[in-house]
Amino acid sequence: MLSFFIYRDLTKEMFYHGWSNYMQHAYPEDELNPFECKGRGSDKADPSNINVNDVLGDYSLTLVDTLDTLAILGTQQEFEEAVRLVVETVSFSQDNKVQVFEVNIRALGGLLSAHLLATDPAFKHTIPGYSNELLSLAKDVADRLMPAFWASQQTHIPYPRVNLRRGVPSSETTETCTAGAGSLILEFGVLSRLTGDPSYERAARLALNNLWQRRSNLNLLGNVIDIETGQWIHTASSTGAGIDSIFEYMLKAYILFGDSEYYTMFEEAYAALMKFVRDRTGYIYRNVHMSNGSLMSYWIDSLGAFFSGLQVLAGDLTSAIKGHLVYYNIWKRYHALPERFDFYHRTVDVAFYPLRPEFVESTYHLYRATKDPFYLKVGEMVIEDLYNRTRLPCGFATIGDVRTGRLEDRMESFMLSETLKYLYLLFDEDHPLNKMDSNFVFTTEGHVMPLSRSYYKPQQQQKAVGEQCPRYERTTAGMVPGDLDMSSIPYQPLTDYATHIVGTVAPTLPVSQQGYCAVPYEMTIRRPKRSSSTSGFFMEYSLSKVSGYLAKSLSGLRLELLKTSKQQQQQGYFVVKGRG
């Protein structure tokens, strides 16, 4: 139980470290540059720099994107102050070309989530005197994005970018990724229901439907499509970058709105992914050709780590556990998640890690579904690696190369709006969100999106996805404090195979005469003492013990297990050897 409090409080301290430095050194600009300790906005000197300009449009993005995180782990006063700043200082009337998808999930989603929290008494964050200002600002944002739909006369699939003042530039590309065009329905649907204007939901739904109508005979979607001709430009189908969140929004639209059309769409798409994209082992979700299912590349990307969390929501726990173990072993090997990992050569393909949340998101959902303490250990590993590898005096930095630890001068807004939010909720067992039984969802940007039942449309009861809903049970009979629970995820045969896929090599340690791996295990966490008069003062919590585990027999497989020491720069549990 002590671990819960330590890591919950450490996560909160890390959030405030990033948040306070953004507010002190970067606001009102969009992001914090942690090296230079100053703000970053749009790159007006280089309009072609889409890595920056797709996201940053000079509208205090980190402030807007972080509103609901403040409500979740901050104080009511801090939430109200942040809302006041947005209402008084943020304007989206900017002469900047931005990506529709990014503005939708980060800005529109952030505004809607904060509005719902500020007006729904169930969340206990209502703001006295609040008059729907955030909703009005959200409508203004959506109105500036709508020209992307209007300009698409042939397919009604939106253009990827708009100028927030001038609409779609005449020179704008007609190629858009599937996720970017098909992952708008949650935010636009909620906006329509809150304002009574159906045009937003209608546009987003039409775009999603028209993409789905262009699926292959295998029910697979491609990655990039021409919005004027409706022809696929990049025909790779996967669960990763460029396509990922369209599946997420199909299922979550059903959960949030209760419309069975979204569920039917998801069920067909999910069955195709499991048949053609998932490999025969059940661990890897590949890039395959949408028309014939043939393999198109040997890498998986970090964005695909979200899929296990979606599988939890779909009721397919067995598949979720397997897929998550692959990313767990990649993280354990590199102490971060490289953007791409080559599963054939078992090495990094693209090495940077921009503090993405997807792996943490799935870890959170798997813990909520299973309550297996393994997932808390995963969270501990992530928190310690983020703290030790990315923390700077002025925020947190992107890892430019996970192999060398080289850092880059950028802290994207999702570090505060998603990554640290999911980590905090993982360790805050008693948080109201973890006890809420309703149709709320987290958007693909991690924004809490509840919707009053007055907007819910009951439909005919649907069956579980593919009828894959085995109940997850961990053995507890006969356990006493200190006993090793061999039914936990790290000690199951599937873990050994995931380790093999990634190529993780566990250290070999001497075994004592009693058959124990007697490994000194020590963990020290530095966390701040919360006091206005002692800002910057750190207390140390040290937990140490000698920990070793006997080789056990599990389902006919003999496993040698050990918990590694901090001196070996590894965390968690390893399956050292396994044989029948």
Side-chain angles (χ1 to χ4, degrees):
M1 198 64 185
L2 179 61
S3 176
F4 269 105
F5 296 131
I6 290 175
Y7 285 97
R8 181 198 64 188
D9 293 349
L10 179 59
T11 304
K12 178 181 285 191
E13 187 278 328
M14 290 169 67
F15 168 80
Y16 278 111
H17 178 70
W19 170 251
S20 61
N21 275 292
Y22 166 74
M23 291 303 297
Q24 181 178 351
H25 302 292
Y27 171 79
E29 296 199 66
D30 291 312
E31 288 179 352
L32 171 68
N33 284 352
F35 283 11
E36 299 178 355
C37 209
K38 66 179 185 180
R40 176 203 295 260
S42 63
D43 187 353
K44 297 188 183 301
D46 183 9
S48 65
N49 183 4
I50 60 174
N51 185 45
V52 170
N53 291 330
D54 271 359
V55 180
L56 310 186
D58 304 321
Y59 31 57
S60 302
L61 178 62
T62 297
L63 171 63
V64 174
D65 204 7
T66 308
L67 287 174
D68 67 324
T69 309
L70 282 167
I72 288 171
L73 62 81
T75 67
Q76 179 66 14
Q77 181 179 353
E78 290 166 335
F79 175 56
E80 292 183 13
E81 174 62 17
V83 169
R84 183 189 65 79
L85 285 175
V86 170
V87 171
E88 294 181 358
T89 68
V90 172
S91 171
F92 289 89
S93 180
Q94 306 292 338
D95 190 12
N96 292 320
K97 186 173 75 168
V98 295
Q99 191 184 88
V100 173
F101 171 75
E102 292 290 354
V103 175
N104 173 67
I105 65 171
R106 300 201 201 198
L108 180 57
L111 293 168
L112 290 171
S113 178
H115 166 75
L116 290 166
L117 293 176
T119 55
D120 189 341
F123 290 91
K124 300 181 180 180
H125 291 296
T126 55
I127 299 176
Y130 174 73
S131 300
N132 299 329
E133 294 92 343
L134 295 180
L135 181 60
S136 297
L137 196 55
K139 185 177 184 304
D140 176 65
V141 173
D143 288 341
R144 297 177 187 279
L145 300 181
M146 285 295 284
F149 297 90
W150 302 335
S152 176
Q153 298 296 320
Q154 301 301 316
T155 65
H156 303 288
I157 299 170
Y159 273 77
R161 297 175 183 86
V162 295
N163 182 292
L164 291 172
R165 283 186 185 170
R166 309 175 192 277
V168 177
S170 58
S171 60
E172 181 56 31
T173 179
T174 61
E175 297 180 6
T176 189
C177 70
T178 305
S183 307
L184 307 168
I185 189 61
L186 289 183
E187 292 84 358
F188 275 60
V190 168
L191 181 63
S192 279
R193 291 161 195 250
L194 294 177
T195 62
D197 183 346
S199 63
Y200 307 109
E201 184 172 4
R202 186 185 303 126
R205 184 169 192 155
L206 186 59
L208 176 59
N209 285 337
N210 285 350
L211 280 167
W212 183 239
Q213 288 171 9
R214 287 169 171 79
R215 66 193 184 276
S216 72
N217 290 334
L218 304 182
N219 282 339
L220 294 176
L221 294 167
N223 197 288
V224 177
I225 194 169
D226 188 300
I227 60 180
E228 291 298 336
T229 67
Q231 299 298 309
W232 291 101
I233 305 300
H234 184 30
T235 55
S237 189
S238 72
T239 58
I243 191 170
D244 48 358
S245 55
I246 192 170
F247 308 119
E248 177 183 4
Y249 273 39
M250 288 175 182
L251 180 58
K252 290 182 177 179
Y254 168 67
I255 294 171
L256 194 61
F257 304 135
D259 190 326
S260 61
E261 181 183 0
Y262 295 118
Y263 186 85
T264 300
M265 195 183 301
F266 172 78
E267 187 175 37
E268 294 179 9
Y270 187 74
L273 293 173
M274 300 304 280
K275 183 175 182 179
F276 299 107
V277 173
R278 183 175 65 166
D279 76 345
R280 288 179 296 177
T281 71
Y283 289 83
I284 298 289
Y285 294 82
R286 309 161 299 161
N287 289 276
V288 303
H289 197 286
M290 64 181 294
S291 296
N292 56 32
S294 60
L295 184 65
M296 294 186 70
S297 69
Y298 289 112
W299 51 260
I300 56 175
D301 61 58
S302 63
L303 289 171
F306 94 98
F307 197 61
S308 291
L310 185 64
Q311 289 176 311
V312 172
L313 295 183
D316 191 356
L317 270 178
T318 301
S319 297
I321 289 169
K322 284 185 174 182
H324 179 269
L325 280 170
V326 173
Y327 287 101
Y328 161 68
N329 277 281
I330 296 173
W331 186 292
K332 185 171 65 173
R333 181 175 174 182
Y334 297 105
H335 297 275
L337 212 57
E339 192 71 354
R340 286 184 184 175
F341 180 80
D342 184 329
F343 58 83
Y344 180 76
H345 296 99
R346 301 179 185 174
T347 189
V348 169
D349 187 67
V350 178
F352 72 89
Y353 171 65
L355 310 174
R356 291 197 189 279
E358 285 77 15
F359 175 60
V360 177
E361 174 187 357
S362 288
T363 303
Y364 165 74
H365 285 298
L366 277 163
Y367 177 70
R368 298 309 309 167
T370 69
K371 292 301 180 73
D372 191 321
F374 165 68
Y375 297 109
L376 297 178
K377 292 296 182 182
V378 175
E380 292 173 11
M381 173 185 71
V382 172
I383 290 172
E384 292 181 23
D385 285 336
L386 290 175
Y387 191 101
N388 293 329
R389 301 196 73 190
T390 72
R391 182 173 179 137
L392 297 174
C394 194
F396 297 89
T398 290
I399 301 178
D401 191 323
V402 298
R403 298 162 297 189
T404 65
R406 175 178 57 83
L407 299 178
E408 295 181 355
D409 192 16
R410 188 172 187 182
M411 185 181 82
E412 293 218 39
S413 64
F414 50 65
M415 174 61 169
L416 301 182
S417 70
E418 291 188 84
T419 304
L420 293 175
K421 178 190 293 172
Y422 281 122
L423 284 169
Y424 181 81
L425 289 172
L426 174 65
F427 288 100
D428 190 3
E429 183 72 20
D430 295 325
H431 196 281
L433 281 176
N434 287 332
K435 297 179 179 296
M436 186 168 294
D437 183 18
S438 73
N439 61 316
F440 86 93
V441 297
F442 292 98
T443 70
T444 199
E445 185 70 8
H447 293 305
V448 179
M449 202 67 75
L451 199 61
S452 169
R453 293 193 179 275
S454 62
Y455 300 104
Y456 187 63
K457 299 176 181 178
Q459 301 285 324
Q460 183 177 357
Q461 183 67 31
Q462 300 287 324
K463 65 180 183 298
V465 178
E467 298 181 349
Q468 300 179 63
C469 290
R471 181 172 177 80
Y472 178 85
E473 295 285 358
R474 290 195 303 112
T475 303
T476 58
M479 289 182 59
V480 296
D483 269 9
L484 175 63
D485 178 9
M486 291 299 295
S487 68
S488 186
I489 294 299
Y491 314 127
Q492 296 185 18
L494 52 84
T495 304
D496 200 16
Y497 192 78
T499 301
H500 168 74
I501 289 174
V502 174
T504 304
V505 178
T508 302
L509 296 170
V511 180
S512 71
Q513 292 180 352
Q514 290 75 33
Y516 285 89
C517 303
V519 183
Y521 178 82
E522 181 170 312
M523 174 180 66
T524 301
I525 295 177
R526 301 174 70 241
R527 63 185 287 270
K529 182 179 181 181
R530 301 284 297 181
S531 171
S532 58
S533 61
T534 59
S535 178
F537 174 76
F538 284 84
M539 300 177 64
E540 290 196 356
Y541 291 76
S542 181
L543 307 176
S544 61
K545 61 181 179 180
V546 175
S547 177
Y549 298 78
L550 281 170
K552 296 279 187 176
S553 177
L554 181 63
S555 300
L557 185 70
R558 184 174 174 82
L559 305 177
E560 290 182 21
L561 308 168
L562 56 91
K563 188 174 185 180
T564 62
S565 65
K566 187 175 182 180
Q567 285 74 18
Q568 293 168 300
Q569 299 302 305
Q570 300 284 355
Q571 298 295 329
Y573 304 89
F574 288 102
V575 178
V576 181
K577 298 179 183 177
R579 61 184 185 275

